[in-house]
Amino acid sequence: MSNLYNGFFPSLEKFNYRIWLAGAFVSDIGTWVQRTAQSWLVLTILTDHSATAIGTVTSLQFGPQLFLVAWTGYVADHFDHRKILICTQATMGLLALTIGALIVSGFVQFWHVLVFAALLGSVSAFDAPVRQIFAGELVGDTHLANAVALNSASFYAARLIGPAVAGLIIAEFGTGWAFLINGASFGAVVTSIFFLRLGDLRMHALASRKRASVTEGFRYILSRPDLKAVLVMLFLVGTFGLNFSIYIPTMAVGIFHAGAREYGLLTASMAVGTVTGALLSAGRSNPSFRTLVGGSSIFGLGCTLAALAPSTYTFAAALFIIGIAILILTNTSNSLMQLSTEPAMRGRVMASIGAAYGGTPIGAPIVGRVADHLGPRWALGVAAASGFGAVIVGMYILLRKHRAG
């Protein structure tokens, strides 16, 4: 087992990381249980099968990462990360328990879900950059890339489990209990934080509080062509590529005339790909810009194959490839930006990643209109173009570095 730790999972040698990962895995399962239940609640109980309503909830939940980026990065760089995580995780748990109680009691209305999504998205926006930085404090910069990859593997493994658990809970006990169980699952993360050995944490020095600290992060990123390029690449893929809640069902129903069983296969295929990509990333200790460009190329190629897929099974195979590419992109960009950034600036830089992915609610309506008017295959063509566009940006930076010597 020690050889496995040293070779492929060195982060697991650290007691603090093992405790954190266990708590996070339990909570991640709860998160996917809640996400599944939330869509079911809006679609079948609070509205008459309104996809627009689900889109509105999604925008409110993920939009704050884009609009609060300056403040979320500031907080991540200036305040104790352990205390922030205790506050954010406890708050998200309390929100889930509150909406769950409203559902179980029969008082829930659609506007409650909208308010819940906005509040959850706002708290998550402060939580996300801190969680990313905290991985480095648990294992140190040497094993940061491995820890980031294992975090992703845990999150997407939970994605395989959570929806199935949600289905059982909804069928047996009702939608509200899925929210209540997720609320309770946050206790696993909070408990794990209290069990950490504080003396083993590799705490980074916090940034000094001074006037213009909020905008300092933007100036720092603008002075770094490599960071700007990574963010542009992520914005292209995040805005126009990561809309698989649209691509998969429209292809399944509109092109392949598939049923629920085939739809489940397609969703699972992509999830397995993401877990595979996370595990492949775990074996790489030195993230590079070339890997990021390679991941973008694979993403563009995978989306092209998906758009041209002649059957459900070939489409599933393409989704598996896309899942691998997505995790290569996300893990490499996360590790690369942290390791190439001054510790006191990491929070603001990592918050900018969330903002780059925050373009998804912008791209979703555009991709949806393409799918409605030109067909799902053309919508996937947009996703492929986003991947190849990211490749062009990345190649430009690589050529500049080559010419500079």
Side-chain angles (χ1 to χ4, degrees):
M1 184 64 73
S2 61
N3 290 333
L4 181 64
Y5 286 174
N6 292 329
F8 210 65
F9 303 131
S11 298
L12 293 177
E13 283 189 321
K14 310 295 183 182
F15 171 83
N16 279 350
Y17 185 75
R18 292 198 302 271
I19 292 294
W20 164 261
L21 189 66
F25 182 63
V26 172
S27 182
D28 287 340
I29 292 174
T31 295
W32 285 109
V33 167
Q34 178 174 287
R35 287 188 182 182
T36 305
Q38 180 174 281
S39 296
W40 185 261
L41 172 72
V42 173
L43 194 66
T44 67
I45 299 176
L46 299 180
T47 70
D48 185 19
H49 297 82
S50 173
T52 301
I54 293 180
T56 302
V57 173
T58 301
S59 295
L60 286 173
Q61 190 162 323
F62 295 99
Q65 290 196 42
L66 177 62
F67 298 110
L68 297 176
V69 58
W71 296 104
T72 57
Y74 175 86
V75 169
D77 278 335
H78 291 82
F79 296 92
D80 184 279
H81 297 152
R82 181 172 165 272
K83 293 179 180 178
I84 293 173
L85 287 172
I86 291 172
C87 291
T88 55
Q89 293 291 312
T91 302
M92 287 189 286
L94 182 60
L95 286 171
L97 292 173
T98 301
I99 193 71
L102 285 172
I103 299 168
V104 169
S105 63
F107 291 112
V108 70
Q109 298 180 39
F110 182 55
W111 72 267
H112 292 147
V113 179
L114 294 178
V115 173
F116 165 74
L119 291 175
L120 179 63
S122 299
V123 178
S124 297
F126 285 93
D127 181 81
V130 178
R131 285 189 66 167
Q132 292 168 342
I133 299 170
F134 198 57
E137 297 183 348
L138 293 170
V139 302
D141 286 352
T142 302
H143 300 312
L144 174 62
N146 183 259
V148 169
L150 287 178
N151 284 350
S152 296
S154 171
F155 183 73
Y156 285 100
R159 185 181 186 178
L160 289 171
I161 300 170
V165 174
L168 294 174
I169 294 171
I170 293 170
E172 292 294 327
F173 307 104
T175 309
W177 282 96
F179 286 83
L180 293 175
I181 288 173
N182 178 51
S185 75
F186 281 100
V189 178
V190 175
T191 301
S192 73
I193 294 173
F194 281 109
F195 274 95
L196 296 177
R197 296 171 179 170
L198 300 184
D200 292 342
L201 289 175
R202 315 241 178 134
M203 305 286 288
H204 295 129
L206 297 177
S208 58
R209 302 181 194 179
K210 56 186 178 182
R211 186 173 297 179
S213 289
V214 172
T215 59
E216 186 180 13
F218 294 116
R219 293 198 300 271
Y220 179 78
I221 291 170
L222 290 174
S223 70
R224 294 278 304 275
D226 56 334
L227 297 185
K228 286 189 293 184
V230 173
L231 291 176
V232 171
M233 293 170 72
L234 294 180
F235 179 79
L236 287 172
V237 174
T239 302
F240 301 105
L242 300 184
N243 292 291
F244 287 93
S245 60
I246 296 173
Y247 302 140
I248 295 178
T250 54
M251 284 289 289
V253 176
I255 301 298
F256 302 122
H257 308 291
R261 181 176 298 179
E262 289 82 2
Y263 177 65
L265 167 68
L266 294 174
T267 304
S269 178
M270 188 170 182
V272 172
T274 55
V275 173
T276 303
L279 293 176
L280 289 173
S281 298
R284 300 182 63 88
S285 58
N286 297 311
S288 68
F289 207 92
R290 291 182 184 276
T291 304
L292 194 63
V293 174
S296 301
S297 302
I298 297 171
F299 181 82
L301 177 61
C303 289
T304 302
L305 294 174
L308 300 174
S311 70
T312 303
Y313 295 104
T314 52
F315 184 53
L319 289 175
F320 175 79
I321 294 172
I322 293 169
I324 293 175
I326 289 172
L327 261 293
I328 291 175
L329 274 169
T330 55
N331 289 346
T332 302
S333 59
N334 186 317
S335 302
L336 192 62
M337 291 187 76
Q338 286 202 59
L339 293 174
S340 64
T341 301
E342 298 172 17
M345 296 297 298
R346 284 185 181 179
R348 281 161 283 188
V349 170
M350 297 313 294
S352 67
I353 288 184
Y357 281 126
T360 301
I362 300 172
I366 298 173
V367 171
R369 290 185 67 84
V370 172
D372 285 339
H373 294 283
L374 299 178
R377 294 189 187 275
W378 282 102
L380 273 165
V382 174
S386 74
F388 293 131
V391 171
I392 293 172
V393 174
M395 289 299 297
Y396 172 73
I397 293 298
L398 288 175
L399 286 174
R400 281 189 59 177
K401 287 184 177 181
H402 178 74
R403 290 171 182 171

